[in-house]
């Protein structure tokens, strides 16, 4: 894809309209550019004891950092401008290499994942998000069970998602590897509002094979204010 075409596709309002609906661009604050990692919004040990400091450090400085670096490499090789919104890139990811897909997804997913957690998080969502959860799943507990199952049952590596579909309904699903619902190649399509990394690198040091225990504890970290923001910009 040529640089000129890519820039023209982004509307002046900063909202990309794709098959997935209107995607807010530049979702992440404090990035130097869309392909850079934002600083982690808390210390490596801030999510203890649910996620241990060593896991957070390796996850952020090695795994997630590599996605950012490799995304920049792929973008350079394939003519994507450095300031391109990642959401836009993912919405047309079928036109690019597997390297772009894996690392573009990996970068976006992790930038979102860090924001989806906070120290002393958890509890229940509120406001319009809670209303929509009740409307679309029956109850918060039903949503939580469905999301937990999506994470537990994802075979191998991948992500569980709460996302807004084309009809503005909340849905739950999972994707393999570093795919996500923004991608035109994904079986589930929409705008992700909450994501959970179920790759072993996210939990293995503390939980070993016990993914279910990791997921159960992870609920105590969810930053519902951030999820609410994403939800409101998606509907
Ligand atoms: Mn990860």
């Amino acid at each position: 894809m040529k640089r000129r075409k890519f820039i023209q596709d982004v509307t002046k309002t900063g909202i990309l309209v794709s098959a997935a609906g209107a995607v807010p661009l530049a979702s992440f604050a404090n990035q130097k550019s869309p392909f850079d990692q934002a600083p982690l919004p808390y210390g490596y040990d801030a999510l203890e004891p649910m996620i241990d400091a060593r896991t957070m450090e390796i996850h952020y400085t090695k795994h997630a950092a590599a996605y950012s670096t490799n995304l920049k490499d792929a973008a350079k090789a394939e003519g994507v401008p450095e300031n391109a919104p990642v959401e836009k890139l993912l919405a047309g990811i079928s036109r690019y290499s597997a390297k772009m897909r894996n690392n573009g997804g990996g970068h976006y997913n992790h930038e979102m994942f860090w924001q989806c957690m906070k120290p002393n998080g958890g509890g229940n969502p509120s406001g319009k998000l809670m209303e929509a959860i009740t409307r679309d799943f029956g109850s918060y507990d039903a949503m939580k069970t469905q999301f937990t199952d999506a994470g537990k049952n994802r075979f191998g590596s991948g992500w569980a998602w709460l996302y807004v579909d084309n009809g503005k309904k909340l849905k739950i699903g999972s994707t393999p590897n570093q795919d996500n619902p923004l991608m035109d190649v994904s079986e589930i399509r929409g705008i992700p509002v909450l994501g959970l990394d179920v790759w072993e690198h996210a939990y293995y040091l503390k939980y070993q094979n016990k993914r279910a225990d990791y997921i159960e504890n992870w609920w105590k970290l969810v930053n519902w204010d951030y999820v609410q923001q994403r939800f409101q910009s998606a509907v």
Side-chain angles (χ1 to χ4, degrees), residues 19-34:
V23 180
L25 299 177
S27 306
F28 308 114
N30 304 318
Q31 288 173 315
K32 272 191 295 182
S33 85

Side-chain angles (χ1 to χ4, degrees), residues 59 63 67 110 159 178 197 199 201-202:
H59 202 175
H63 295 283
Y67 297 126
H110 286 84
W159 291 74
Q178 293 295 353
D197 189 344
W199 283 57
H201 70 223

Side-chain angles (χ1 to χ4, degrees), residues 30-202:
N30 304 318
Q31 288 173 315
K32 272 191 295 182
S33 85
F35 298 171
D36 282 305
Q37 286 183 286
L40 198 65
Y42 35 73
Y44 298 130
D45 63 353
L47 306 182
E48 293 262 15
M50 282 68 79
I51 301 180
D52 64 284
R54 185 73 178 134
T55 293
M56 283 302 295
E57 183 174 5
I58 295 171
H59 202 175
Y60 179 84
T61 66
K62 305 294 184 195
H63 295 283
Y67 297 126
S68 169
T69 302
N70 292 332
L71 170 58
K72 289 177 193 172
D73 287 351
K76 203 169 184 180
E78 297 174 48
V80 175
E82 283 174 11
N83 60 349
V86 182
E87 293 87 347
K88 167 68 189 162
L89 179 64
L90 300 181
I93 201 68
S94 62
R95 289 175 278 181
Y96 298 95
S97 66
K99 181 175 180 177
M100 192 83 82
R101 175 174 172 174
N102 291 335
N103 292 286
H107 176 62
Y108 185 91
N109 295 347
H110 286 84
E111 288 297 289
M112 178 176 164
F113 184 54
W114 312 132
Q115 303 288 334
C116 282
M117 302 184 288
K118 68 172 185 180
N120 304 311
N124 287 2
S126 60
K128 290 195 176 355
L129 175 60
M130 187 62 166
E131 286 171 25
I133 287 171
T134 307
R135 179 194 68 205
D136 295 336
F137 299 99
S139 68
Y140 171 72
D141 285 342
M143 183 283 293
K144 191 174 165 184
T145 300
Q146 201 176 319
F147 186 102
T148 297
D149 288 346
K152 282 198 299 199
N153 296 333
R154 165 50 54 191
F155 185 77
S157 300
W159 291 74
W161 303 103
L162 176 66
Y163 65 99
V164 176
D165 77 358
N166 291 341
K168 308 286 185 194
K169 279 189 71 174
L170 280 170
K171 292 252 174 80
I172 284 167
S174 77
T175 52
N177 305 313
Q178 293 295 353
D179 288 355
N180 75 37
L182 292 172
M183 291 180 172
D184 60 352
V185 294
S186 176
E187 283 182 18
I188 57 169
R189 297 298 310 280
I191 300 170
V193 297
L194 174 65
L196 169 61
D197 189 344
V198 295
W199 283 57
E200 284 186 348
H201 70 223

